[in-house]
């Protein structure tokens, strides 16, 4: 029996962690793909060297050519950009939609039988674009968010009750944004539902509401702390759970973004719901009986996802849509003090794409409407030329220091390619090349608490 092949599209923070976890679990052979040449190769080599210490036999490879993902059984997509303080996930749409279209094409050509897990944000809209662009059956393309959001909810509850995380189970439904719906009635400690625990005096309703809010803002809380990007360990572990359930046909019931076909009153859109993940992909949606308030919360969340999907449809048709969700601005990750802004403006990885992303945030992108406007100009003006086409990311220009190595460096048996890798890490352009019309300033947003 041949080993399974796992392709990781995007070799950034989550991509690298995915490779490590997939290796440690010996899920199969792993290929990292990224448009920044050198990074996937470097991470693959590093983890391959770790395999001898950790004791696993996965083969690792890195590439910036799509042919490397040929025949993959599972593809996990993290390609694109992540948010920084002052941005909402929705601000990423204009850049990441182009990335999803390019990645979808790559998957269609090279591994049309794969099970695809999308992680790129804004998740529910991006997984929809990826499915459309790849042309894969909807049951073979899913989004990761619910496992992560539920994991956060479980952790906060376990800490509150001072019990093992193993004995806390929790579900979060809906889109991966601030309107997500942590399902209090279906969340339990050792099988005891949270409403019963309120009656038993373990927790007050007020305190539980605070935990629900913290869960909804779980991503923003980490962005506010990291300042340079978003969470990556827990997101990677969550996607690995999904991949493992598919590869081993475990049939785990996991909250994932799946394409609904009438369930929960939704059709043709990706929304987070519990689903059985097995060898058939997303095999069966679990349709919970919701009460009136849960239904209202889910409908609100579905409305926000629909607004973003409409924006995507407009961009894909070349006619940016008037989004339905314009009145529900997505919350932004908190900006703490000035240094956060400076970091965004001066970060060594600052590239034209980052400028484009910053531009999205610089405008008061409080409403999806503005995301649409920005996305349309960005997409047409430049990203189309760069991200969507073959060198979706320009190879980073080697800084002078790398071009003229110091004598000590010259002595080292460093191959050209290795020098490139080093350059790639140091170069100011790690991300896809992007529009010249970049913003002058870092995001002008009102600081908000997570
Ligand atoms: N769904 C969820 O629950 C979560 C989603 N995310 C999202 O995941 C995405 C990735 O996050 P990180 O790994 O932290 O970001 P990162 O910036 O560390 O890595 C992204 C990688 O994508 C690469 N890339 C850009 N354009 C590409 C293209 N056209 N083809 C292939 N690779 C390309 C970049 O070179 C970079 O290495 C972000 O959009 C982030 O918002 C992050 C956490 C949780
Ligand atoms: O918050 C972000 O930008 C990343 C993300 O989706 C999460 O950690 O939940």
């Amino acid at each position: 029996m041949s080993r399974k092949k796992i392709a990781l599209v995007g070799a950034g923070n989550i991509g690298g962690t995915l490779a490590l976890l997939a290796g440690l679990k010996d899920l199969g052979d792993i290929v990292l793909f990224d448009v920044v040449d050198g990074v996937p190769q470097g991470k693959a080599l590093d983890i391959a060297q770790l395999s001898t210490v950790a004791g696993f036999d996965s083969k690792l490879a890195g590439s910036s050519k799509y042919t490397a993902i040929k025949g993959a059984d599972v593809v996990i997509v993290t390609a694109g950009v992540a948010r920084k303080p002052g941005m909402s996930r929705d601000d990423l749409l204009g850049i990441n939609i182009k990335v999803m279209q390019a990645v979808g094409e790559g998957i269609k050509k090279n591994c049309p039988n794969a099970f695809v897990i999308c992680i790129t944000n804004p998740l529910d809209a991006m997984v929809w674009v990826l499915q459309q662009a790849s042309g894969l059956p909807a049951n073979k393309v899913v989004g990761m968010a619910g496992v992560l959001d539920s994991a956060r909810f479980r952790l906060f509850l376990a800490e509150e009750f001072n019990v093992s995380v193993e004995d806390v189970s929790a579900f979060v439904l809906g889109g991966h944004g601030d309107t997500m719906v942590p399902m209090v009635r279906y969340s339990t400690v050792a099988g005891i539902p949270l409403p019963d625990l309120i009656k038993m005096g373990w927790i007050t309703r007020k305190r539980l509401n605070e935990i629900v809010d913290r869960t909804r803002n779980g991503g923003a809380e980490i962005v506010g702390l990291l300042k340079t990007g978003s969470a990556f360990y827990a997101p990677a572990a969550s996607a690995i759970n999904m991949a493992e359930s598919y590869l081993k046909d475990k049939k785990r019931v996991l909250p994932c973004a799946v394409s609904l076909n009438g369930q929960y009153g939704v059709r043709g859109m990706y929304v987070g719901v519990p689903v059985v993940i097995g060898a058939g992909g997303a095999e069966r949606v679990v349709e919970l009986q919701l009460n009136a308030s849960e239904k209202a919360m889910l409908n609100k969340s579905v409305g926000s996802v629909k607004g973003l999907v409409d924006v995507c449809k407009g961009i894909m048709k070349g006619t940016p849509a008037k989004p339905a969700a314009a009145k529900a601005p997505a919350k932004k990750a908190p900006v703490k003090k000035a240094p956060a802004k400076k970091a965004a403006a001066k970060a060594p990885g600052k590239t034209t794409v980052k400028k484009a992303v910053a531009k999205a945030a610089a405008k008061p992108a409080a409403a999806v409407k503005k995301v649409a406007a920005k996305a349309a100009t960005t997409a047409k003006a430049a990203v189309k030329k760069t991200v969507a086409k073959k060198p979706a990311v320009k190879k980073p220009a080697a800084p002078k220091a790398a071009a003229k190595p110091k004598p000590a460096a010259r002595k080292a048996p460093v191959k050209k390619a290795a020098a490139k890798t080093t350059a790639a890490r140091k170069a100011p352009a790690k991300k896809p090349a992007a529009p010249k019309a970049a913003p002058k300033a870092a995001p002008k947003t009102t600081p908000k608490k997570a």
Side-chain angles (χ1 to χ4, degrees):
M1 202 172 72
S2 66
R3 292 175 63 81
K4 297 292 184 189
K5 176 169 174 176
I6 298 144
L8 307 174
V9 178
N13 281 336
I14 304 180
T17 312
L18 284 168
L20 176 62
L21 294 177
L24 289 171
K25 281 187 165 261
D26 224 340
L27 291 184
D29 293 336
I30 300 157
V31 58
L32 283 142
F33 168 90
D34 201 291
V35 283
V36 180
D37 195 28
V39 170
Q41 294 90 336
K43 290 196 178 181
L45 183 57
D46 190 10
I47 296 170
Q49 290 166 0
L50 171 150
S51 74
T52 59
V53 184
F56 60 81
D57 292 308
S58 299
K59 299 273 173 282
L60 281 117
S63 178
S64 54
K65 292 199 174 73
Y66 265 111
T67 46
I69 70 170
K70 208 165 192 60
D73 298 285
V74 169
V75 181
I76 309 181
V77 179
T78 60
V81 287
R83 66 171 161 159
K84 295 218 172 98
M87 299 171 74
S88 84
R89 295 181 182 94
D90 300 353
D91 293 331
L92 307 172
L93 185 147
I95 300 291
N96 287 351
I97 185 176
K98 293 293 156 192
V99 176
M100 289 307 98
Q101 288 176 305
V103 173
E105 279 295 317
I107 291 173
K108 187 197 278 187
K109 278 195 197 124
N110 294 287
C111 43
N113 297 318
F115 178 58
V116 179
I117 302 170
C118 177
I119 302 186
T120 302
N121 272 323
L123 188 270
D124 309 271
M126 292 303 101
V127 63
W128 180 86
V129 174
L130 189 63
Q131 190 273 326
Q132 296 282 312
S134 66
L136 266 61
N139 64 310
K140 298 294 284 295
V141 183
V142 299
M144 188 296 292
V147 177
L148 172 65
D149 297 327
S150 305
R152 287 176 174 151
F153 195 24
R154 288 176 59 198
L155 173 72
F156 301 149
L157 289 169
E159 285 179 346
E160 180 68 18
F161 297 130
N162 194 22
V163 299
S164 165
V165 288
E166 286 182 52
D167 295 320
V168 180
S169 82
F171 261 124
V172 174
L173 297 186
H176 184 52
D178 354 290
T179 55
M180 70 178 77
V181 190
M183 291 295 293
V184 166
R185 270 194 319 137
Y186 288 97
S187 300
T188 66
V189 174
I192 308 164
L194 293 179
D196 288 359
L197 289 167
I198 295 176
K199 285 184 204 147
M200 288 159 63
W202 275 46
I203 189 167
T204 62
R205 170 62 65 178
K206 184 173 172 284
R207 179 70 190 128
L208 183 55
N209 288 343
E210 285 167 8
I211 291 175
V212 163
D213 270 357
R214 188 175 179 200
T215 303
R216 287 198 174 114
N217 295 314
E221 183 178 357
I222 293 181
V223 172
L225 291 166
L226 292 179
K227 297 185 182 68
T228 52
S230 50
F232 51 99
Y233 295 117
S238 303
I240 289 293
N241 262 10
M242 293 164 64
E244 189 176 23
S245 191
Y246 170 77
L247 288 167
K248 298 183 178 168
D249 194 21
K250 283 173 74 108
K251 304 207 187 296
R252 290 202 60 191
V253 182
L254 298 169
C256 308
V258 285
S259 178
L260 294 179
N261 191 18
Q263 301 95 332
Y264 294 92
V266 180
R267 198 173 291 276
M269 249 177 29
Y270 276 83
V271 176
V273 295
V275 62
V276 178
I277 301 283
E283 295 184 348
R284 179 176 165 195
V285 169
V286 180
E287 199 166 0
L288 302 169
Q289 293 295 312
L290 302 183
N291 64 28
S293 99
E294 290 159 353
K295 257 185 209 155
M297 286 191 283
L298 184 64
N299 287 344
K300 187 177 172 198
S301 187
V302 169
S304 326
V305 175
K306 183 174 184 311
L308 293 177
V309 171
D310 286 346
V311 172
C312 293
K313 284 181 180 166
I315 293 171
M316 286 155 83
K317 277 193 213 140
T319 51
K322 284 192 181 128
K327 33 188 157 80
K331 270 192 202 156
K332 298 180 182 310
V335 180
K336 283 193 183 161
K337 298 180 225 146
K341 272 191 183 177
K342 275 186 201 157
K346 290 185 183 169
K350 185 179 146 198
T351 67
T352 41
V353 153
K354 282 186 176 168
K355 286 179 189 170
V357 173
K359 188 179 177 185
K363 295 180 183 183
V368 180
K369 197 173 176 183
K370 302 202 173 166
V371 176
K374 185 256 147 199
T377 32
T378 312
K380 279 188 185 157
V383 181
K384 198 171 175 187
K385 284 188 208 147
T386 54
V387 179
K389 302 221 166 163
K390 25 130 210 195
V393 166
K394 274 189 186 168
K395 283 186 186 176
K400 279 179 188 166
K404 288 183 185 175
K406 286 176 190 166
R410 254 187 245 131
K411 275 184 211 156
V414 180
K415 281 187 190 165
K416 249 191 175 178
K420 230 188 220 172
T421 306
T422 315
R425 291 210 183 104
K426 288 182 184 168
K430 185 193 162 201
K431 307 275 173 170
K436 278 185 181 164
K440 281 173 201 143
K444 282 179 206 161
T445 47
T446 319
K448 265 184 194 159
K449 273 202 143 196

